[in-house]
Amino acid sequence: MTVDSIKQWLDEIVIGQNFCPFARYVRDNQQIRFVENTQDTLDEALLSLHQEILTLESDEDVATTLIIFSSGFTDFDDYLDLLTVANELLDEWGYAGEYQLASFHPDYLFEGEAESAASHYTNRAPYPVLHILRESDVENVLAHCPNPEAIYENNQVRAHELGVKWFRQKLSAYRQK
């Protein structure tokens, strides 16, 4: 159920609203690994992260992995703690420059923006998610993107066009599946 909700969110919001113009290719080619993590401790989450990096290291057919936390890290501050430690461990494990993390959470807030801003929804998902990306893939895609700096700005404009109410309804429906 949780993975299905994330797939629908990915298809309808991330790809459907073109928040990530690169996601369609890996989704259409079934190169995304979706992993549900039902554990709720930091140690277990980090173990899952490490296992998924090892999977990416050994399986060239997988371009990226989404670790979905179906029961843990519902508090945004706890999630940010996980993200901080996870990024530090990427460095410690020797994966700096090879992998990076993108973050999504139901209560995602961009620093410096009003809490009511629709732009937060560009990084809101039905469940907390750590998205592992290969840096070489990101660099390759960005090299072929004419204006990568505009992605963030375009996402903000689109989010405001859709509005908070639209996003709330969508995310609520995904969580009810």
Side-chain angles (χ1 to χ4, degrees):
M1 295 276 251
T2 304
V3 171
D4 290 340
S5 294
I6 290 295
K7 287 179 179 179
Q8 188 175 5
W9 162 79
L10 180 66
D11 292 341
E12 294 179 3
I13 294 183
V14 176
I15 294 171
Q17 300 308 317
N18 202 32
F19 287 147
C20 179
F22 322 118
R24 180 176 305 280
Y25 178 82
V26 291
R27 179 75 167 124
D28 288 350
N29 289 294
Q30 300 179 1
Q31 295 177 301
I32 302 174
R33 182 170 157 81
F34 297 90
V35 176
E36 181 177 1
N37 185 312
T38 59
Q39 308 301 318
D40 61 1
T41 69
L42 182 62
D43 287 344
E44 291 162 335
L46 296 170
L47 179 61
S48 180
L49 172 65
H50 192 252
Q51 289 171 336
E52 291 309 315
I53 289 174
L54 293 175
T55 298
L56 286 167
E57 289 279 293
S58 65
D59 190 345
E60 291 292 320
D61 293 331
V62 178
T64 189
T65 300
L66 291 132
I67 303 173
I68 307 149
F69 297 96
S70 58
S71 59
F73 305 98
T74 55
D75 179 83
F76 187 55
D77 288 330
D78 290 344
Y79 174 80
L80 289 177
D81 291 343
L82 165 65
L83 183 62
T84 298
V85 174
N87 277 313
E88 289 170 358
L89 285 176
L90 283 181
D91 232 7
E92 196 173 300
W93 292 334
Y95 293 118
E98 286 186 61
Y99 295 98
Q100 63 179 261
L101 300 174
S103 58
F104 302 92
H105 190 278
D107 299 320
Y108 202 96
L109 292 172
F110 287 107
E111 192 173 325
E113 292 190 36
E115 283 191 36
S116 60
S119 57
H120 300 300
Y121 286 90
T122 63
N123 282 62
R124 288 193 180 174
Y127 299 92
V129 173
L130 283 181
H131 180 191
I132 309 168
L133 301 128
R134 283 190 183 97
E135 287 212 8
S136 60
D137 291 345
V138 172
E139 291 168 3
N140 187 36
V141 169
L142 290 176
H144 296 92
C145 183
N147 191 7
E149 304 81 27
I151 295 170
Y152 176 75
E153 294 167 9
N154 293 340
N155 289 352
Q156 285 190 316
V157 168
R158 184 65 182 139
H160 287 288
E161 289 171 353
L162 294 167
V164 169
K165 182 179 177 183
W166 183 86
F167 283 108
R168 282 189 181 149
Q169 289 173 338
K170 285 287 195 184
L171 290 177
S172 176
Y174 300 148
R175 287 202 50 110
Q176 292 176 8
K177 290 186 139 243

